[in-house]
Amino acid sequence: MEWSDGAFEEPVPTDTVRPSVSVAVSLFRLYARSVNIFFPILEASVLDRMISQYSENNGEGLVGRSRELFYLILAVATLICKRNEPTLATNANSHFLKAISIMSTDCDHSSMSENITLLQRTLLICVYLLLSPESGDIWRHLGFAIRHFLDLSHGRLREEDELYQVFCKLSRTIYCLESQVSIAFGRPSLMIIGDELRQVSNTSYTGKLD
C-alpha cells in the first residue's frame, strides 16, 4: 500500500496541533476554489460535511476515512497559501504526516464506496507530492492510483449506479494529474492506456474497458 515503509521521506510526528475551526474553514474554501477545480477529487457536499463534522465537539467530530481526508486537504491547502501566509504554510508537512500516521490499511474491497474513498485518498496524496516533490515518490503513488482505477473499471459500475458520476470524475482527474506529472518531471507517460481512459471519461462509458 502507498503508506508502507519507505513511501515518505520523514518520520511521522507524534502530535499535530489542530487548526481552529475558522482556519480550517478558510483552508477548505481555498482547496475548493483551487485544487478541486483543476483536479476534482471530492464533491462539494463531502467537503461541507467534513468541515461541519470538524466544527462539532471542538474538532473531535471526524472519524475514520473522513479524518484521513481532512488532514490531507489541510496539507494541500496550506501549501497553496504559502506565498500569502508563509507562517501558516509551515504546517503543511505536519498535516500531511498526521494524515499518514492515522491511515488505516484495512479496506473492504467488496464495497465500491470504500474503494472510491481509498482512490480519493491516494489522489490527494499525489496532489500533495506534486506540490511538494521532496516529501515522497509521486510516481509510486500515482501508479497505485492507476492500478486501483483499472481494477475498479472492469464492469463494477454502471451508469445507473450512485457512484458512477464520481468515478467518471476521478478517471478524468487521474488522466489530467498523470499528464501534469509527466510534463513536470520530463518522464514518459505511465498511461499507455491513455486513449482508453479518455473513453472512460466521456458519457458513452458503459463501466467496462474494451
Side-chain angles (χ1 to χ4, degrees):
M1 290 295 185
E2 73 273 16
W3 54 84
S4 60
D5 292 343
F8 302 101
E9 303 300 329
E10 300 182 41
V12 174
T14 57
D15 184 46
T16 299
V17 177
R18 291 195 303 266
S20 66
V21 172
S22 61
V23 169
V25 169
S26 296
L27 290 174
F28 263 61
R29 287 175 178 170
L30 176 61
Y31 172 84
R33 67 173 184 261
S34 56
V35 172
N36 213 42
I37 298 296
F38 295 99
F39 300 117
I41 296 174
L42 295 164
E43 301 294 315
S45 59
V46 175
L47 295 174
D48 290 341
R49 183 169 63 251
M50 279 196 290
I51 204 65
S52 176
Q53 291 172 346
Y54 183 74
S55 301
E56 300 172 358
N57 302 320
N58 296 318
E60 296 293 341
L62 287 167
V63 295
R65 301 291 190 203
S66 293
R67 191 161 174 251
E68 300 168 4
L69 297 177
F70 175 80
Y71 279 103
L72 286 173
I73 292 169
L74 291 184
V76 171
T78 49
L79 276 181
I80 296 171
C81 72
K82 65 182 179 181
R83 179 175 299 177
N84 296 326
E85 297 288 345
T87 302
L88 186 62
T90 59
N91 295 325
N93 191 56
S94 294
H95 291 318
F96 180 66
L97 293 178
K98 174 66 174 181
I100 300 304
S101 72
I102 61 177
M103 282 183 182
S104 171
T105 58
D106 297 328
C107 178
D108 180 4
H109 291 288
S110 65
S111 168
M112 181 55 69
S113 176
E114 182 81 359
N115 276 282
I116 290 292
T117 302
L118 179 58
L119 182 56
Q120 290 170 323
R121 187 179 75 181
T122 306
L123 289 174
L124 282 171
I125 291 174
C126 289
V127 170
Y128 182 87
L129 296 180
L130 180 64
L131 297 172
S132 180
E134 69 278 5
S135 298
D137 185 355
I138 189 172
W139 289 96
R140 179 177 180 178
H141 298 280
L142 189 56
F144 178 83
I146 293 170
R147 291 193 300 272
H148 195 185
F149 164 77
L150 291 175
D151 178 61
L152 297 179
S153 68
H154 287 291
R156 298 183 62 177
L157 275 176
R158 294 292 185 268
E159 289 190 27
E160 62 272 16
D161 293 337
E162 181 180 356
L163 293 172
Y164 171 76
Q165 292 300 328
V166 176
F167 184 70
C168 287
K169 180 182 293 186
L170 293 178
S171 73
R172 292 190 291 270
T173 298
I174 290 174
Y175 188 80
C176 292
L177 184 59
E178 198 276 341
S179 298
Q180 290 290 324
V181 170
S182 297
I183 293 171
F185 291 92
R187 293 188 180 184
S189 174
L190 297 173
M191 307 286 279
I192 300 175
I193 40 79
D195 289 338
E196 286 80 0
L197 280 178
R198 279 194 292 271
Q199 181 181 0
V200 169
S201 300
N202 63 38
T203 56
S204 65
Y205 176 60
T206 61
K208 183 177 181 180
L209 290 177
D210 295 329

